[in-house]
Amino acid sequence: MSSNLPLPPNPSFILQNSKPVNSVLFSKFNRQLLFSGNRNGDLNIYSLNNRRSIFSANANNEAVLSISEIDQQSFLTHTRNGQIFKWTQQPQNSWTFNCIYNKEAYSFCQFMLSFNKNLLFIPSSESGVVEVLHSDKLSVFYEIRTESKTNRGMIMCLKQLDDDLILCGYENGEVVLFDGVNEQAQIDLFKGEPILSFDFSPSKKIGIAGSSGSEIKQFMLKKENNVFTIESTASAQLTNPGVNSIKIRPNDSMLFCCACWDSKIRLFTLKKLRLLAVLDFHKEAVNCVDFCSDNTLVTGSSDGFIALWEIYK
Protein backbone atom coordinates (compact mmCIF):
# COMPACT_ATOMS: atom_id res chain seq x y z
CA MET A 1 0.00 0.00 0.00
CA SER A 2 2.85 2.35 0.75
CA SER A 3 5.26 1.21 -1.98
CA ASN A 4 4.67 4.31 -4.16
CA LEU A 5 4.88 6.83 -1.35
CA PRO A 6 7.80 9.26 -1.08
CA LEU A 7 10.44 8.34 1.45
CA PRO A 8 9.20 9.64 4.83
CA PRO A 9 11.43 11.82 7.02
CA ASN A 10 13.16 10.75 10.19
CA PRO A 11 12.05 12.39 13.44
CA SER A 12 13.40 15.91 13.90
CA PHE A 13 14.40 14.82 17.40
CA ILE A 14 13.64 12.16 20.00
CA LEU A 15 12.93 12.24 23.72
CA GLN A 16 13.70 9.05 25.57
CA ASN A 17 11.28 8.03 28.28
CA SER A 18 11.74 5.32 30.87
CA LYS A 19 8.31 3.67 30.47
CA PRO A 20 5.64 3.14 27.80
CA VAL A 21 4.05 6.46 26.83
CA ASN A 22 0.24 6.68 27.02
CA SER A 23 -0.45 10.35 26.36
CA VAL A 24 1.24 13.43 24.88
CA LEU A 25 0.13 17.06 24.72
CA PHE A 26 1.70 20.21 23.32
CA SER A 27 1.05 23.16 25.62
CA LYS A 28 -1.30 25.69 24.07
CA PHE A 29 -0.03 28.40 26.42
CA ASN A 30 3.71 27.80 26.08
CA ARG A 31 4.89 26.37 22.75
CA GLN A 32 8.14 25.27 24.35
CA LEU A 33 6.46 22.82 26.73
CA LEU A 34 5.41 19.24 26.02
CA PHE A 35 3.51 17.03 28.49
CA SER A 36 3.63 13.25 28.54
CA GLY A 37 2.00 10.60 30.70
CA ASN A 38 3.32 7.06 31.16
CA ARG A 39 1.72 3.69 31.74
CA ASN A 40 3.27 3.48 35.23
CA GLY A 41 1.80 6.86 36.26
CA ASP A 42 4.83 9.09 35.61
CA LEU A 43 4.09 12.57 34.36
CA ASN A 44 6.87 14.37 32.50
CA ILE A 45 7.10 17.96 31.31
CA TYR A 46 9.71 18.62 28.64
CA SER A 47 11.38 21.81 27.51
CA LEU A 48 11.48 21.71 23.71
CA ASN A 49 14.19 24.35 23.77
CA ASN A 50 16.51 22.16 25.83
CA ARG A 51 15.04 18.86 24.61
CA ARG A 52 14.95 17.38 28.08
CA SER A 53 12.58 16.78 30.97
CA ILE A 54 12.31 19.71 33.38
CA PHE A 55 9.79 18.07 35.73
CA SER A 56 8.68 14.56 36.62
CA ALA A 57 6.26 13.21 39.23
CA ASN A 58 3.93 10.28 39.85
CA ALA A 59 0.52 10.89 41.43
CA ASN A 60 -0.78 7.36 41.98
CA ASN A 61 1.15 4.72 39.97
CA GLU A 62 -1.79 4.36 37.56
CA ALA A 63 -1.49 4.86 33.79
CA VAL A 64 -2.02 8.45 32.70
CA LEU A 65 -4.78 8.29 30.08
CA SER A 66 -4.96 11.96 29.19
CA ILE A 67 -3.77 15.48 29.97
CA SER A 68 -5.73 18.71 29.54
CA GLU A 69 -4.67 22.29 30.22
CA ILE A 70 -6.89 24.66 32.21
CA ASP A 71 -4.79 27.80 31.86
CA GLN A 72 -1.16 28.88 31.78
CA GLN A 73 -0.61 27.84 35.39
CA SER A 74 -2.56 24.60 35.75
CA PHE A 75 -3.62 21.39 34.03
CA LEU A 76 -5.48 18.15 34.73
CA THR A 77 -4.50 14.50 34.36
CA HIS A 78 -6.85 11.52 34.21
CA THR A 79 -5.57 8.11 35.29
CA ARG A 80 -6.68 4.58 34.48
CA ASN A 81 -8.52 4.08 37.79
CA GLY A 82 -10.72 7.15 37.19
CA GLN A 83 -8.92 9.66 39.40
CA ILE A 84 -8.38 13.23 38.22
CA PHE A 85 -5.49 15.35 39.48
CA LYS A 86 -5.06 19.09 39.25
CA TRP A 87 -1.48 20.30 38.82
CA THR A 88 -0.49 23.88 39.68
CA GLN A 89 2.74 25.53 38.64
CA GLN A 90 5.15 26.72 41.32
CA PRO A 91 8.40 28.69 40.97
CA GLN A 92 11.46 27.15 39.32
CA ASN A 93 9.78 24.65 36.99
CA SER A 94 7.90 22.82 39.72
CA TRP A 95 4.28 21.71 39.91
CA THR A 96 2.21 20.49 42.85
CA PHE A 97 -0.80 18.20 42.49
CA ASN A 98 -3.91 17.23 44.38
CA CYS A 99 -6.64 14.72 43.63
CA ILE A 100 -9.88 16.55 42.79
CA TYR A 101 -11.96 13.50 41.76
CA ASN A 102 -11.68 10.11 43.40
CA LYS A 103 -14.53 7.90 42.24
CA GLU A 104 -13.09 4.55 41.17
CA ALA A 105 -14.07 3.85 37.57
CA TYR A 106 -11.56 1.85 35.56
CA SER A 107 -11.82 2.80 31.91
CA PHE A 108 -9.95 3.07 28.63
CA CYS A 109 -11.81 6.28 27.78
CA GLN A 110 -10.06 9.62 28.28
CA PHE A 111 -11.88 12.31 30.22
CA MET A 112 -12.72 15.58 28.48
CA LEU A 113 -12.64 19.20 29.63
CA SER A 114 -15.27 21.37 27.93
CA PHE A 115 -14.33 24.26 25.64
CA ASN A 116 -15.21 26.85 28.30
CA LYS A 117 -13.43 24.83 31.02
CA ASN A 118 -16.53 24.71 33.24
CA LEU A 119 -17.51 21.05 32.70
CA LEU A 120 -15.73 17.72 33.03
CA PHE A 121 -16.92 14.68 31.05
CA ILE A 122 -15.85 11.52 32.86
CA PRO A 123 -16.63 7.83 32.18
CA SER A 124 -18.75 6.52 35.05
CA SER A 125 -18.25 3.33 37.00
CA GLU A 126 -21.57 2.34 35.42
CA SER A 127 -20.84 0.91 31.97
CA GLY A 128 -21.86 3.13 29.08
CA VAL A 129 -22.56 6.21 31.20
CA VAL A 130 -20.74 9.56 31.15
CA GLU A 131 -20.89 11.81 34.19
CA VAL A 132 -20.83 15.54 33.47
CA LEU A 133 -19.45 17.52 36.42
CA HIS A 134 -19.19 21.19 37.26
CA SER A 135 -15.43 21.75 37.18
CA ASP A 136 -15.49 24.05 40.23
CA LYS A 137 -17.90 22.18 42.51
CA LEU A 138 -17.14 18.70 41.06
CA SER A 139 -20.81 17.83 41.53
CA VAL A 140 -22.74 15.88 38.89
CA PHE A 141 -24.55 18.29 36.56
CA TYR A 142 -26.12 15.58 34.39
CA GLU A 143 -25.42 12.13 32.96
CA ILE A 144 -25.20 11.00 29.36
CA ARG A 145 -27.07 7.70 29.06
CA THR A 146 -27.83 5.69 25.98
CA GLU A 147 -31.49 5.27 25.04
CA SER A 148 -30.87 2.11 23.04
CA LYS A 149 -32.17 -1.20 24.35
CA THR A 150 -29.05 -2.76 22.86
CA ASN A 151 -26.14 -2.97 25.28
CA ARG A 152 -23.54 -0.71 23.71
CA GLY A 153 -20.95 -1.62 26.32
CA MET A 154 -18.27 0.69 27.67
CA ILE A 155 -17.68 4.26 26.58
CA MET A 156 -14.42 4.19 24.61
CA CYS A 157 -13.99 7.81 23.44
CA LEU A 158 -15.58 11.27 23.67
CA LYS A 159 -15.51 14.42 21.53
CA GLN A 160 -17.17 17.78 22.12
CA LEU A 161 -18.41 19.40 18.89
CA ASP A 162 -19.87 22.62 20.30
CA ASP A 163 -21.36 23.87 23.57
CA ASP A 164 -24.13 21.24 23.48
CA LEU A 165 -23.19 18.44 21.08
CA ILE A 166 -21.11 15.47 22.24
CA LEU A 167 -20.04 12.42 20.23
CA CYS A 168 -19.57 9.14 22.10
CA GLY A 169 -17.90 5.99 20.78
CA TYR A 170 -18.86 2.63 22.28
CA GLU A 171 -17.48 -0.82 22.81
CA ASN A 172 -19.96 -2.34 20.34
CA GLY A 173 -18.70 -0.15 17.47
CA GLU A 174 -21.40 2.54 17.50
CA VAL A 175 -20.96 6.31 17.39
CA VAL A 176 -23.77 8.27 19.03
CA LEU A 177 -24.49 12.02 19.01
CA PHE A 178 -25.96 13.59 22.15
CA ASP A 179 -27.43 17.05 22.63
CA GLY A 180 -27.02 17.28 26.39
CA VAL A 181 -28.88 14.24 27.72
CA ASN A 182 -30.83 13.58 24.53
CA GLU A 183 -29.69 11.08 21.92
CA GLN A 184 -29.89 12.69 18.48
CA ALA A 185 -28.26 10.30 15.99
CA GLN A 186 -26.28 7.07 15.86
CA ILE A 187 -24.45 4.78 13.48
CA ASP A 188 -22.93 1.32 13.79
CA LEU A 189 -19.51 1.77 12.20
CA PHE A 190 -17.68 -1.41 13.18
CA LYS A 191 -20.38 -4.06 13.68
CA GLY A 192 -19.31 -5.20 17.12
CA GLU A 193 -15.64 -4.22 17.08
CA PRO A 194 -14.82 -1.64 19.79
CA ILE A 195 -14.10 1.88 18.63
CA LEU A 196 -10.68 2.62 20.07
CA SER A 197 -10.36 6.22 18.91
CA PHE A 198 -12.03 8.87 16.81
CA ASP A 199 -11.69 12.54 16.00
CA PHE A 200 -14.05 15.00 14.36
CA SER A 201 -13.60 18.25 12.45
CA PRO A 202 -16.47 20.65 13.26
CA SER A 203 -15.53 22.86 10.29
CA LYS A 204 -15.64 19.98 7.77
CA LYS A 205 -18.38 17.99 9.57
CA ILE A 206 -16.19 14.92 9.00
CA GLY A 207 -15.10 12.33 11.56
CA ILE A 208 -12.56 9.50 11.43
CA ALA A 209 -12.74 6.38 13.60
CA GLY A 210 -10.46 3.42 14.19
CA SER A 211 -10.88 0.07 15.91
CA SER A 212 -9.06 -3.15 16.64
CA GLY A 213 -9.63 -4.13 13.00
CA SER A 214 -7.77 -3.13 9.86
CA GLU A 215 -10.16 -0.46 8.58
CA ILE A 216 -10.49 3.20 9.41
CA LYS A 217 -13.92 4.69 8.77
CA GLN A 218 -14.92 8.17 7.69
CA PHE A 219 -18.32 9.50 8.75
CA MET A 220 -20.20 12.76 8.27
CA LEU A 221 -22.63 14.62 10.50
CA LYS A 222 -25.59 16.20 8.71
CA LYS A 223 -28.53 18.28 9.86
CA GLU A 224 -31.69 18.79 7.84
CA ASN A 225 -34.95 20.22 9.19
CA ASN A 226 -33.41 20.17 12.70
CA VAL A 227 -32.81 16.41 12.45
CA PHE A 228 -29.26 15.06 12.80
CA THR A 229 -27.96 12.04 10.91
CA ILE A 230 -24.56 10.32 10.89
CA GLU A 231 -23.52 8.68 7.63
CA SER A 232 -20.63 6.37 6.90
CA THR A 233 -18.99 7.91 3.83
CA ALA A 234 -15.69 6.14 3.15
CA SER A 235 -13.12 3.71 4.52
CA ALA A 236 -9.45 2.89 4.10
CA GLN A 237 -7.67 -0.39 4.63
CA LEU A 238 -4.62 -0.59 6.86
CA THR A 239 -1.76 -3.01 6.29
CA ASN A 240 -2.12 -4.33 9.83
CA PRO A 241 -4.99 -4.10 12.34
CA GLY A 242 -5.33 -1.81 15.34
CA VAL A 243 -5.47 1.98 15.82
CA ASN A 244 -4.82 3.41 19.29
CA SER A 245 -5.29 7.08 18.52
CA ILE A 246 -6.53 9.35 15.73
CA LYS A 247 -5.90 13.09 15.51
CA ILE A 248 -7.15 15.49 12.84
CA ARG A 249 -4.73 18.39 12.36
CA PRO A 250 -6.68 21.23 14.00
CA ASN A 251 -5.19 24.18 12.11
CA ASP A 252 -6.67 23.28 8.74
CA SER A 253 -8.39 19.85 9.01
CA MET A 254 -6.61 18.83 5.81
CA LEU A 255 -5.05 15.63 7.14
CA PHE A 256 -5.14 13.26 10.07
CA CYS A 257 -2.73 10.96 11.84
CA CYS A 258 -3.25 7.36 13.02
CA ALA A 259 -1.22 5.83 15.84
CA CYS A 260 -1.13 2.15 14.99
CA TRP A 261 -0.53 -1.12 16.80
CA ASP A 262 2.15 -2.16 14.30
CA SER A 263 4.45 0.69 15.49
CA LYS A 264 3.73 2.86 12.42
CA ILE A 265 2.25 6.36 12.18
CA ARG A 266 0.05 6.82 9.11
CA LEU A 267 -1.00 10.17 7.70
CA PHE A 268 -4.04 10.48 5.42
CA THR A 269 -5.93 13.28 3.71
CA LEU A 270 -9.18 13.91 5.57
CA LYS A 271 -11.59 14.14 2.64
CA LYS A 272 -10.28 11.47 0.26
CA LEU A 273 -8.52 9.16 2.75
CA ARG A 274 -5.43 9.19 0.55
CA LEU A 275 -2.40 7.78 2.32
CA LEU A 276 0.30 10.47 2.46
CA ALA A 277 3.07 8.91 4.53
CA VAL A 278 3.97 6.01 6.81
CA LEU A 279 6.36 7.10 9.55
CA ASP A 280 8.55 4.27 10.76
CA PHE A 281 10.64 4.90 13.86
CA HIS A 282 9.00 3.29 16.88
CA LYS A 283 9.61 -0.36 17.75
CA GLU A 284 6.33 -1.02 19.57
CA ALA A 285 2.72 0.16 19.34
CA VAL A 286 2.18 3.90 18.97
CA ASN A 287 -0.31 4.97 21.62
CA CYS A 288 -0.77 8.72 21.27
CA VAL A 289 -0.30 11.66 18.89
CA ASP A 290 -0.75 15.43 18.98
CA PHE A 291 -0.21 18.43 16.71
CA CYS A 292 1.39 21.70 17.77
CA SER A 293 0.05 25.07 16.60
CA ASP A 294 2.84 25.15 13.98
CA ASN A 295 1.76 21.67 12.75
CA THR A 296 4.70 19.81 14.33
CA LEU A 297 3.61 16.25 15.09
CA VAL A 298 4.48 14.36 18.28
CA THR A 299 4.09 10.61 18.80
CA GLY A 300 4.42 8.46 21.92
CA SER A 301 4.93 4.71 22.00
CA SER A 302 5.09 1.64 24.19
CA ASP A 303 8.80 1.53 23.35
CA GLY A 304 9.34 4.45 25.74
CA PHE A 305 10.25 7.00 23.06
CA ILE A 306 8.61 10.29 22.12
CA ALA A 307 9.31 11.47 18.56
CA LEU A 308 8.75 14.90 17.01
CA TRP A 309 8.19 15.18 13.28
CA GLU A 310 8.32 18.02 10.75
CA ILE A 311 6.10 16.80 7.93
CA TYR A 312 3.47 18.42 5.67
CA LYS A 313 3.80 21.70 7.57
Side-chain angles (χ1 to χ4, degrees), residues 30-258:
N30 183 343
R31 283 180 54 180
Q32 297 307 315
L33 291 184
L34 174 70
F35 302 90
S36 77
N38 291 355
R39 193 171 298 167
N40 71 332
D42 287 346
L43 172 86
N44 288 287
I45 302 176
Y46 294 92
S47 165
L48 298 181
N49 275 335
N50 300 327
R51 301 185 181 184
R52 64 178 182 85
S53 175
I54 59 172
F55 176 79
S56 181
N58 192 313
N60 65 352
N61 296 313
E62 292 280 353
V64 180
L65 294 182
S66 54
I67 306 164
S68 187
E69 287 183 297
I70 301 172
D71 52 37
Q72 194 166 1
Q73 303 297 323
S74 58
F75 63 92
L76 302 175
T77 58
H78 176 215
T79 57
R80 174 80 170 84
N81 65 339
Q83 289 182 304
I84 293 179
F85 294 87
K86 181 178 181 180
W87 301 73
T88 305
Q89 188 170 12
Q90 305 298 320
Q92 298 179 343
N93 289 332
S94 179
W95 282 259
T96 57
F97 66 86
N98 66 295
C99 182
I100 63 170
Y101 184 79
N102 193 24
K103 182 177 179 181
E104 188 170 286
Y106 279 88
S107 173
F108 296 102
C109 179
Q110 301 176 351
F111 90 119
M112 183 173 64
L113 184 63
S114 64
F115 294 146
N116 57 13
K117 314 292 186 182
N118 67 343
L119 295 176
L120 291 172
F121 296 81
I122 304 172
S124 172
S125 55
E126 183 179 351
S127 182
V129 176
V130 178
E131 293 183 349
V132 184
L133 311 180
H134 291 284
S135 58
D136 53 352
K137 302 175 184 177
L138 295 174
S139 57
V140 177
F141 182 35
Y142 65 90
E143 292 181 335
I144 297 175
R145 289 179 174 271
T146 177
E147 298 173 2
S148 173
K149 294 181 181 179
T150 303
N151 181 10
R152 288 174 169 148
M154 296 172 61
I155 292 278
M156 302 300 290
C157 38
L158 298 166
K159 179 73 176 182
Q160 183 179 18
L161 308 190
D162 61 24
D163 288 341
D164 300 311
L165 296 177
I166 306 294
L167 274 177
C168 296
Y170 289 88
E171 190 178 5
N172 73 338
E174 290 188 49
V175 172
V176 182
L177 177 72
F178 290 89
D179 181 358
V181 298
N182 301 310
E183 188 173 316
Q184 296 292 332
Q186 60 283 319
I187 188 171
D188 187 355
L189 283 179
F190 291 107
K191 312 299 182 185
E193 287 184 357
I195 292 178
L196 299 185
S197 180
F198 64 42
D199 201 3
F200 187 86
S201 167
S203 62
K204 306 285 188 183
K205 308 298 183 188
I206 295 175
I208 301 292
S211 72
S212 56
S214 56
E215 267 190 317
I216 52 173
K217 299 285 186 75
Q218 182 194 77
F219 61 93
M220 295 193 71
L221 178 63
K222 299 182 178 181
K223 186 179 183 181
E224 295 182 9
N225 300 320
N226 289 322
V227 176
F228 287 102
T229 57
I230 304 173
E231 297 181 6
S232 178
T233 46
S235 65
Q237 195 75 22
L238 300 176
T239 306
N240 298 301
V243 176
N244 280 325
S245 182
I246 289 174
K247 184 76 171 181
I248 297 172
R249 191 165 71 181
N251 277 358
D252 54 16
S253 295
M254 296 296 292
L255 58 84
F256 67 92
C257 177
C258 295

